[in-house]
Amino acid sequence: MKFSDKYYESKEFQQILARYEAAKADGRSLYMEPEELADIAEYYQMLGNGVEATNVLEHGLSMFPGSDILLALRARMALFNNNDIAMAQQYVSQIVDTTSFEYYYIVAEIMLADKRPDDADQYLNDVVSKIDDEEERDDFYVDSAMLFADYNCYDIAATWLERSTDYEADDYKQLQGKIALHKGNYEESERIFNELLDRDPFSAPYWNSLASTQLLKGNARESIESSEYSIAINPEDPDALLNKANGLLRLGNYTEARNYYHRFSELYPDDEVGYLFEGVCCLNDESIDDAIAFYLQAEKVALQHQPASNANLLDIYNELALAYALKHDSEKAMSYNDKMAEIPDADNDEVLVMRGHLLMSMGQIKEGRDAYIQALKHSDGSPKIFLKIAISTYDLRLYDHSYRMFQFLRRNTDDSWNEGYSYEALCCYALHKDDEFLEAVKMAIEKNPYEAQLVLSDVFPPDLEVKDYYQWLLEGNTPLI
């Protein structure tokens, strides 16, 4: 398998790996530096071979028992593979040099894994005061920013990155682009990654990041094209395969999207995401039994990685509940809603909204309405929960009720609110409110083009870009639904 990280494709690393594997095959003991062993272990981890990665690290630690780089990687694997904070801390406690950067970063990472970003921020700020060398301090700013970005703490990551003065460095630019992407500054993110690709057109990570930005901008075709460049560089790149599959899914090309999700699952059978979205494709093609089979496979894989996979399990159980409701199997549908509620960190209000949706879809109107009301009360009237109920009632074809909810949201949210306009447009269209439909489409593509493409793709020709939806309607064209 090729990797996006060019170091692992380099002649230097391949020679190191060959020496290790030859010695292992011959049963010989081989002296290698801790850094070399750490690189080999990380390589195996990237291959999905956690057992061999562990073997390399254990071999290294038998020679270098207090090594910061080996123990830090061992701790990181405990976090990544098992979400085991106690085990990670145990490995860190064995590090001899507690003044190394490896030590500082892994201590902060454990805090982040333990959902204590402010503590990690304070800890790393305390470390900065001990760094006298200006170049080392600048590297520390960028590395710390990357660490926070890895844990989706983008506001803190941006603060750390702003302290660096190496503005033209590739690492700086790449992180700047990622921060812009996750803050919704898609134009800026796209500009940065195009600039990086001008420097290095054979970087799969840059193509993948550009594809993600384009998809979130609502430009599925451009995203697919960027993914194809990445796949040409590395046919087994997981991000590229998923990006292309997601783009095809957005365009409603479920058969081709399913092929790419299937290809992903063949290469990465221990990742539940491929099975989950192959099921989504089947459900969109009204192959409910096939969808359920893929969802159950996704559940089986995800359960092997708990609690790290809890977020995906929520989505899997949500899809299973909907699929069984479509089969009129109320007992199984409700059982999966119950499973959603049992997952730690589940949003109980969202689970209640789904419960209301399921009950309403099965004709239990009063019970469903009570679940909606309970979710609203418990969330103190959260706009997010209100929106989810409005969408649910639209999906249940309760168009008058849904319309009133969307109108209420418009009156009671500020200009920063950017969700639900696409669903409101569909609701207006169903109620023959043509002028309001046109206005809602305009707002949807201005405020949230990603949602617009996701929700409105069936309304417009498949080859029409999201940015052209409104103009297409102004030209007198009739929606396709």
Side-chain angles (χ1 to χ4, degrees):
M1 178 189 296
K2 297 178 184 176
F3 284 110
S4 300
D5 190 327
K6 291 183 178 179
Y7 172 68
Y8 293 106
E9 301 172 32
S10 69
K11 184 177 179 180
E12 177 190 357
F13 174 75
Q14 290 300 319
Q15 289 175 341
I16 293 170
L17 180 64
R19 284 171 53 217
Y20 172 82
E21 292 186 336
K24 182 184 175 186
D26 295 341
R28 291 184 288 108
S29 178
L30 177 68
Y31 177 86
M32 302 185 83
E33 294 294 334
E35 292 79 9
E36 294 175 323
L37 291 165
D39 286 342
I40 294 169
E42 200 156 25
Y43 172 81
Y44 284 127
Q45 177 72 12
M46 290 171 69
L47 276 175
N49 191 343
V51 173
E52 190 58 38
T54 300
N55 290 340
V56 174
L57 290 176
E58 292 303 320
H59 170 67
L61 289 169
S62 69
M63 295 187 291
F64 309 100
S67 167
D68 56 349
I69 191 169
L70 296 175
L71 285 166
L73 183 52
R74 194 74 178 87
R76 196 164 289 114
M77 286 171 58
L79 294 175
F80 182 78
N81 295 336
N82 309 105
N83 199 30
D84 193 329
I85 291 170
M87 183 183 292
Q89 289 172 328
Q90 184 178 346
Y91 287 120
V92 171
S93 70
Q94 299 173 42
I95 294 176
V96 173
D97 184 2
T98 58
T99 63
S100 72
F101 289 119
E102 290 289 347
Y103 178 82
Y104 295 144
Y105 292 137
I106 191 58
V107 168
E109 184 163 358
I110 289 173
M111 293 177 184
L112 286 167
D114 198 27
K115 299 181 180 177
R116 295 187 288 129
D118 291 339
D119 290 344
D121 188 30
Q122 182 60 57
Y123 173 77
L124 291 174
N125 271 297
D126 292 342
V127 170
V128 168
S129 64
K130 305 173 186 177
I131 304 174
D132 296 324
D133 185 85
E134 185 176 341
E135 187 175 341
E136 285 187 349
R137 193 164 57 244
D138 213 68
D139 289 341
F140 189 83
Y141 293 148
V142 176
D143 289 342
S144 297
M146 286 182 176
L147 182 59
F148 285 106
D150 286 343
Y151 282 83
N152 297 319
C153 300
Y154 285 98
D155 288 337
I156 300 177
T159 300
W160 277 93
L161 191 64
E162 287 168 2
R163 298 165 76 175
S164 171
T165 57
D166 197 3
Y167 309 122
E168 293 303 315
D170 288 350
D171 285 348
Y172 183 100
K173 289 280 187 184
Q174 184 177 14
L175 189 52
Q176 189 182 41
K178 286 183 177 181
I179 291 170
L181 169 63
H182 286 273
K183 287 190 170 185
N185 300 327
Y186 304 134
E187 296 288 345
E188 176 68 4
S189 179
E190 187 172 23
R191 183 193 65 76
I192 291 169
F193 285 113
N194 273 315
E195 180 183 332
L196 286 168
L197 283 164
D198 287 340
R199 300 181 185 184
D200 183 1
F202 297 102
S203 170
Y206 296 163
W207 283 115
N208 292 338
S209 294
L210 179 61
S212 296
T213 300
Q214 290 164 332
L215 191 63
L216 288 169
K217 277 185 67 180
N219 296 338
R221 282 178 183 75
E222 291 181 13
S223 176
I224 290 169
E225 184 177 338
S226 296
S227 300
E228 287 170 347
Y229 280 111
S230 183
I231 291 169
I233 295 166
N234 177 5
E236 298 179 357
D237 187 298
D239 293 331
L241 293 171
L242 286 179
N243 275 334
K244 181 163 184 180
N246 291 340
L248 291 164
L249 180 63
R250 294 293 177 268
L251 294 177
N253 189 343
Y254 305 124
T255 301
E256 192 66 13
R258 182 178 171 182
N259 289 337
Y260 276 89
Y261 288 125
H262 186 73
R263 184 169 160 185
F264 173 87
S265 294
E266 284 185 324
L267 291 166
Y268 306 98
D270 292 330
D271 191 320
E272 62 272 12
V273 170
Y275 306 115
L276 168 60
F277 281 96
E278 196 165 351
V280 170
C281 292
C282 290
L283 199 65
N284 276 289
D285 271 338
E286 300 182 0
S287 301
I288 301 174
D289 289 333
D290 288 343
I292 289 172
F294 282 114
Y295 293 151
L296 292 174
Q297 178 65 20
E299 177 191 18
K300 180 181 177 181
V301 173
L303 287 171
Q304 296 171 1
H305 304 304
Q306 275 189 291
S309 61
N310 279 349
N312 286 335
L313 267 175
L314 273 170
D315 290 336
I316 293 164
Y317 290 155
N318 186 80
E319 293 296 328
L320 278 165
L322 289 170
Y324 279 116
L326 289 171
K327 286 178 66 71
H328 307 291
D329 190 333
S330 58
E331 183 177 346
K332 283 188 176 178
M334 299 310 292
S335 74
Y336 278 103
N337 185 252
D338 291 337
K339 285 187 176 185
M340 290 174 68
E342 293 168 3
I343 294 179
D345 300 327
D347 186 321
N348 291 326
D349 299 324
E350 292 188 13
V351 175
L352 271 171
V353 173
M354 172 53 67
R355 190 171 193 85
H357 182 90
L358 294 170
L359 289 166
M360 296 279 282
S361 71
M362 294 182 287
Q364 299 179 49
I365 306 302
K366 180 183 181 304
E367 293 85 350
R369 189 178 298 146
D370 288 345
Y372 287 154
I373 293 170
Q374 189 180 349
L376 279 172
K377 285 182 177 178
H378 188 263
S379 68
D380 294 325
S382 160
K384 180 180 74 171
I385 296 302
F386 198 89
L387 171 65
K388 287 187 177 295
I389 296 172
I391 294 171
S392 171
T393 53
Y394 169 79
D395 287 339
L396 293 166
R397 301 185 180 183
L398 301 172
Y399 300 131
D400 282 317
H401 185 79
S402 183
Y403 172 78
R404 289 195 297 272
M405 293 191 74
F406 283 121
Q407 292 298 300
F408 182 86
L409 266 177
R410 279 228 195 188
R411 292 192 301 270
N412 291 277
T413 52
D414 59 28
D415 287 341
S416 65
W417 181 259
N418 70 344
E419 297 183 67
Y421 290 100
S422 299
Y423 291 97
E424 181 182 355
L426 291 179
C427 202
C428 291
Y429 186 76
L431 293 171
H432 307 291
K433 297 179 181 291
D434 296 340
D435 291 341
E436 292 183 52
F437 166 67
L438 194 62
E439 169 67 14
V441 169
K442 182 180 180 182
M443 295 291 288
I445 62 178
E446 287 176 358
K447 286 185 167 286
N448 196 332
Y450 174 76
E451 182 191 85
Q453 185 165 66
L454 183 66
V455 176
L456 299 175
S457 58
D458 290 340
V459 177
F460 299 94
D463 58 344
L464 189 68
E465 294 289 348
V466 174
K467 62 182 177 62
D468 298 324
Y469 283 180
Y470 181 68
Q471 183 61 38
W472 186 82
L473 291 171
L474 286 181
E475 291 170 359
N477 294 292
T478 303
L480 305 183
I481 56 173

